[in-house]
Amino acid sequence: MTDTAHILVVDDHRDIRDLIGRYLRQHGYRVTLAADGKEMRKLLADEIMPDLVVLDLMMPGEDGLSLCRWLRESHDMPVVMLTALGEETDRIIGLEMGADDYLAKPFNPRELLARIKAVLRRAQSLPTGRKRPLAGGEVCFDRWILDRNRHELRNDDDMVMPLSAGEFALLNAFVEHPRMVLTRDQLLDITKGREAAPFDRSIDNQVSRLRKKIEPDPKNPVIIKTVWGGGYMLTVDAVSQ
């Protein structure tokens, strides 16, 4: 599908917008261009439904963060954000608003193409059901609360359980897809943006470490269960605070 996917590029800089459009078309994508949020909203209202949106963060009028939040609430399509700032805080805020990936300007068009391919592959490989990020910064599951703003996990007694970056990414993938079987390849793609190599056991190792932190009995897990021949599944509901 990535060879014929429809990409909507929203950027107020005409040179950048046109450059991205030409490059993506050269690589077989259908491309629609929009100069700002107003034009993007009009295109979507006219039922121009892209497979992915490349969205600039800093635009006059309605900025990219507001537009990304609106897209998350009203549409089901991946978003790759662009920004001239490149600040860590802006990247985190963009991802919290629901962006699937983030790229700082100036960027190599080849890198943007690679990000687009990875995000499309990830979106298409997920099982049916909820695919878009949960609203809000905190997600409750079992007796745990995952604070995605602070990258912090705490229990119902308000005790904080430290998480590594990999453990946080993995747990976030599970709460985004509760009661769904996620294969090792899917989990690796969601958390690291790459496919599993033969004999890659990194996901299994992280699941094991995560179970030691959240399971009542890690040797007999009931929250994250192994699905024989399939992968792993979060067996409880995950609810946004």
Side-chain angles (χ1 to χ4, degrees), residues 182-241:
L182 296 174
T183 67
R184 291 174 179 84
D185 282 354
Q186 287 170 340
L187 287 168
L188 193 59
D189 199 14
I190 292 169
T191 58
K192 298 185 179 181
R194 65 180 177 86
E195 296 177 353
F199 311 113
D200 189 334
R201 311 308 294 178
S202 60
I203 290 297
D204 299 308
N205 294 334
Q206 285 187 346
V207 167
S208 179
R209 290 195 295 269
L210 204 50
R211 282 171 168 167
K212 291 177 182 178
K213 296 184 176 183
I214 69 172
E215 295 278 2
D217 179 3
K219 293 183 179 180
N220 296 286
V222 294
I223 299 175
I224 299 176
K225 298 201 75 170
T226 301
V227 179
W228 184 254
Y232 297 100
M233 178 174 66
L234 184 73
T235 63
V236 296
D237 291 326
V239 182
S240 224
Q241 288 281 76

Side-chain angles (χ1 to χ4, degrees), residues 32 37-38 173:
T32 300
K38 182 178 180 181

Side-chain angles (χ1 to χ4, degrees), residues 10-181:
V10 187
D11 196 308
D12 62 308
H13 291 91
R14 182 175 180 177
D15 291 346
I16 295 175
R17 192 170 68 240
D18 290 347
L19 172 66
I20 295 172
R22 285 196 303 272
Y23 190 81
L24 294 179
R25 288 186 183 109
Q26 287 171 3
H27 286 81
Y29 291 88
R30 293 180 293 123
V31 181
T32 300
L33 305 178
D36 54 26
K38 182 178 180 181
E39 194 169 336
M40 181 192 84
R41 287 175 181 266
K42 184 179 185 303
L43 287 167
L44 295 178
D46 291 340
E47 298 187 351
I48 303 296
M49 289 299 165
D51 298 296
L52 180 144
V53 179
V54 176
L55 181 60
D56 187 30
L57 176 63
M58 302 297 291
M59 292 188 291
E62 191 172 9
D63 65 21
L65 291 178
S66 174
L67 292 168
C68 185
R69 186 187 302 112
W70 176 75
L71 282 170
R72 290 285 69 80
E73 293 171 351
S74 56
H75 294 79
D76 185 24
M77 59 189 69
V79 175
V80 175
M81 273 201 145
L82 304 177
T83 179
L85 298 179
E87 296 286 342
E88 180 71 10
T89 52
D90 295 296
R91 184 184 72 82
I92 292 171
I93 291 171
L95 295 174
E96 286 170 357
M97 290 299 102
D100 295 83
D101 207 343
Y102 193 97
L103 191 60
K105 297 177 180 178
F107 57 86
N108 187 317
R110 290 178 62 185
E111 183 177 2
L112 176 61
L113 179 64
R115 300 288 184 97
I116 288 172
K117 287 181 176 179
V119 170
L120 285 171
R121 184 181 68 244
R122 192 181 311 155
Q124 293 155 16
S125 70
L126 291 176
T128 57
R130 185 174 66 207
K131 294 184 181 181
R132 296 271 56 87
L134 289 160
E138 293 188 345
V139 181
C140 298
F141 66 99
D142 194 60
R143 63 188 186 93
W144 297 98
I145 299 172
L146 182 64
D147 188 329
R148 300 185 300 172
N149 294 339
R150 297 182 179 180
H151 285 213
E152 180 180 276
L153 178 68
R154 63 182 187 273
N155 63 15
D156 49 14
D157 292 325
D158 221 28
M159 183 188 77
V160 174
M161 178 65 69
L163 293 176
S164 69
E167 291 164 353
F168 171 81
L170 184 61
L171 185 54
N172 193 57
F174 281 125
V175 300
E176 289 286 356
H177 307 90
R179 302 186 185 278
M180 296 183 188
V181 178

